[in-house]
Amino acid sequence: MTHTFDVDHVVLDIEGTTSATGFVVGELYPYARERFGRLLTERAGEPEVRRAVEQIRALLDEPAADTARIERTLGAWLDEDRKVTPLKTLQGLVWAEGFASGELVSHFYPDVVPRLREWHAAGVRLHVYSSGSVAAQRAWFGNSPEGDLRPLAGTFHDTENAGPKLVAASYEVIAADLGAAPQRVLFLSDRPGELDAARAAGWRTAGVRRPGEPYYESGVGDHPEVASFAELEMRTRAGAEGGGAGAGDREVRRAGARLAAEAARFASFGWMRGTSGNLSVVLAHTPLRLAVTASGRDKGELTADDVVLVDGRGAAVAGTAGPAAGAGKPSAEAGLHARVVRLTGAGAVVHVHTVAAVAMGRRRPGGIVLRDLEMLKGLGLPAEGEAVRLPVIANSQDMSVLGDRLEEAREPRMPAVVVADHGLYVWGADLLQARHHAEVVQWMLELELASGRG
């Protein structure tokens, strides 16, 4: 079930919400435990360390507690998973070093980052409120498997600068810091007590309930419940008002936000140089309607408005949000996107310009045979015992001709085709699957290219 919220700000919990608690407990806690002693010795003169040590002595009521006693206490608090501010401060300092050195990389559930990018592109302001220190939060978002995510987050809050997470006053502090009306802020967490406190402060709430997380059995009380960020939709004031646009226009703009987020990701890989490449997502199959990224735009700088609604021929549909907002015209390749959807029933199409695709298209003009690779499982294919061909077709500026060539050469099990001296087309049931298919196919092309096999 999808839940839609009319908000301007989304505040995120981390453990159990954006990221697996098991990763924190199983990877980060032992990492910190092994390094507390060195931190307390080598960085004892730093203000943050000195303040945390004094806080620990006060909590123990032992003003003379030495380094060994402090280290033992930190270990005991880790075992108890205590949400104690000085522990979180010192953990954050250790983890920041680990992330900076490359020894640590954070974890995010696969449904999280695409949604964060989409909401950010749509104008929703994202923030973090976690029991982990601000230093740890910044390190976490700055060193993700998806790269540096800190530009997505406006502010970071912890139990020191905002207050305890089970107290409504803490959420009032954060709302005041954001300059936001409480009812325009949504809090996402896996802990019902935190959700209750946020709601008491006037916030909107949604409980993220993921199997395997510590609070899964506790449920989320009477708050809206989701199992994935994919079940959440955000509608900002700008999107809701839309200058008088109708519901169809708002849907196009929301699709534009999703496409902008995906395009930024591909551009960061170097797969959409200059203004090259385009993406589409199906909004309706009968009659066929696709939201397509606008032509001539830098794909790393797209916004929710840089999108055009096209029909089954790839022509812009008059009176829709994209053209009305000055998004321009769709690429001529929109016609091929529509053809792929009609042929395959796909929900999204990705077209990227990668060196590996062009180089391998030249080496294997008859098609690229792939076999005995674990990555084939990412396409729903067996990892061994069978071969599958990635078709290579000759390029054409006529999308009807190119579509005919694709239809003739298409391998039903392979959701991709290389266009010689041009690039790669990949598709999937939705944008997430299309992206995953693109990454898997590109990885195999890079491997084939690196192998030097002619």
Side-chain angles (χ1 to χ4, degrees):
M1 178 180 178
T2 299
H3 296 272
T4 301
F5 293 90
D6 292 299
V7 294
D8 302 312
H9 301 263
V10 174
V11 178
L12 306 160
D13 174 47
I14 294 180
E15 292 181 38
T17 303
T18 66
S19 311
T21 302
F23 179 87
V24 177
V25 174
E27 300 289 334
L28 296 192
Y29 281 12
Y31 186 90
R33 186 192 301 272
E34 293 171 3
R35 290 162 178 80
F36 277 144
R38 189 179 69 187
L39 174 72
L40 293 168
T41 301
E42 296 179 359
R43 300 176 61 179
E46 295 182 14
E48 276 190 290
V49 175
R50 195 164 58 241
R51 183 172 63 252
V53 168
E54 291 306 316
Q55 289 172 340
I56 294 170
R57 287 170 174 158
L59 289 168
L60 293 174
D61 195 21
E62 297 179 20
D66 62 11
T67 298
R69 171 65 169 139
I70 299 295
E71 185 178 359
R72 288 196 302 273
T73 299
L74 291 170
W77 285 349
L78 275 181
D79 292 336
E80 299 166 11
D81 195 20
R82 292 275 296 276
K83 309 298 182 183
V84 186
T85 295
L87 168 64
K88 298 301 181 179
T89 297
L90 297 176
Q91 279 178 330
L93 293 174
V94 171
W95 294 340
E97 284 187 353
F99 285 120
S101 70
E103 291 183 310
L104 295 175
V105 177
S106 62
H107 169 274
F108 284 84
Y109 281 110
D111 55 273
V112 171
V113 177
R115 263 309 196 242
L116 297 185
R117 287 188 168 129
E118 173 192 328
W119 297 339
H120 183 264
V124 177
R125 296 177 62 189
L126 305 173
H127 313 276
V128 180
Y129 180 31
S130 172
S131 58
S133 69
V134 167
Q137 295 170 26
R138 290 187 181 278
W140 187 268
F141 273 73
N143 298 273
S144 85
E146 307 277 346
D148 187 353
L149 302 179
R150 287 175 298 179
L152 298 180
T155 61
F156 295 85
H157 304 271
D158 60 15
T159 55
E160 187 164 14
N161 66 15
K165 296 188 75 179
L166 299 178
V167 178
S170 302
Y171 299 85
E172 294 169 356
V173 168
I174 294 173
D177 182 48
L178 302 181
Q183 68 272 19
R184 302 297 300 178
V185 184
L186 171 68
F187 181 52
L188 303 178
S189 174
D190 65 323
R191 298 187 64 183
E194 295 177 359
L195 296 168
D196 290 343
R199 184 169 58 189
W203 289 23
R204 308 289 300 281
T205 57
V208 183
R209 191 167 179 235
R210 299 181 184 276
E213 287 293 336
Y215 290 94
Y216 179 79
E217 297 300 331
S218 301
V220 296
D222 57 352
H223 302 271
E225 177 182 322
V226 299
S228 160
F229 277 31
E231 298 173 19
L232 293 163
E233 293 282 354
M234 303 301 152
R235 188 164 59 221
T236 65
R237 280 175 176 157
E241 294 164 4
D249 293 343
R250 290 197 295 271
E251 185 181 9
V252 173
R253 193 173 187 277
R254 287 197 294 271
R258 296 200 301 273
L259 292 169
E262 292 299 312
R265 178 189 180 91
F266 289 127
S268 72
F269 292 165
W271 297 359
M272 288 180 154
R273 302 275 186 182
T275 62
S276 68
N278 37 69
L279 299 89
S280 67
V281 63
V282 175
L283 299 186
H285 282 278
T286 308
L288 184 56
R289 293 288 185 267
L290 297 90
V292 183
T293 51
S295 179
R297 304 296 172 88
D298 186 322
K299 300 308 184 294
E301 301 292 338
L302 296 182
T303 72
D305 293 318
D306 294 317
V307 64
V308 185
L309 185 68
V310 303
D311 61 20
R313 297 174 296 108
V317 176
T320 57
K329 63 180 182 178
S331 167
E333 294 164 343
L336 188 58
H337 284 242
R339 182 76 172 267
V340 168
V341 170
R342 294 200 307 271
L343 283 172
T344 68
V349 181
V350 168
H351 171 43
V352 292
H353 293 238
T354 70
V355 173
V358 173
M360 287 307 302
R362 288 179 175 179
R363 289 188 183 185
R364 313 261 184 89
I368 303 159
V369 177
L370 303 165
R371 60 164 58 87
D372 298 331
L373 293 169
E374 282 289 326
M375 289 294 273
L376 284 167
K377 293 193 291 188
L379 305 178
L381 298 169
E384 58 184 19
E386 293 185 31
V388 63
R389 186 177 65 91
L390 173 60
V392 177
I393 61 175
N395 194 19
S396 173
Q397 301 306 305
D398 186 324
M399 292 303 108
S400 296
V401 171
L402 198 55
D404 290 343
R405 291 172 181 169
L406 186 150
E407 184 169 1
E408 182 179 355
R410 184 170 75 91
E411 162 60 65
R413 298 183 302 162
M414 171 60 68
V417 64
V418 170
V419 179
D421 295 319
H422 186 55
L424 180 67
Y425 280 85
V426 188
W427 50 91
D430 52 28
L431 270 174
L432 182 61
Q433 188 182 67
R435 182 228 291 172
H436 288 168
H437 287 171
E439 292 176 348
V440 167
V441 171
Q442 174 64 13
W443 184 92
M444 291 188 289
L445 287 171
E446 289 176 3
L447 178 65
E448 291 294 305
L449 185 61
S451 73
R453 292 192 290 268

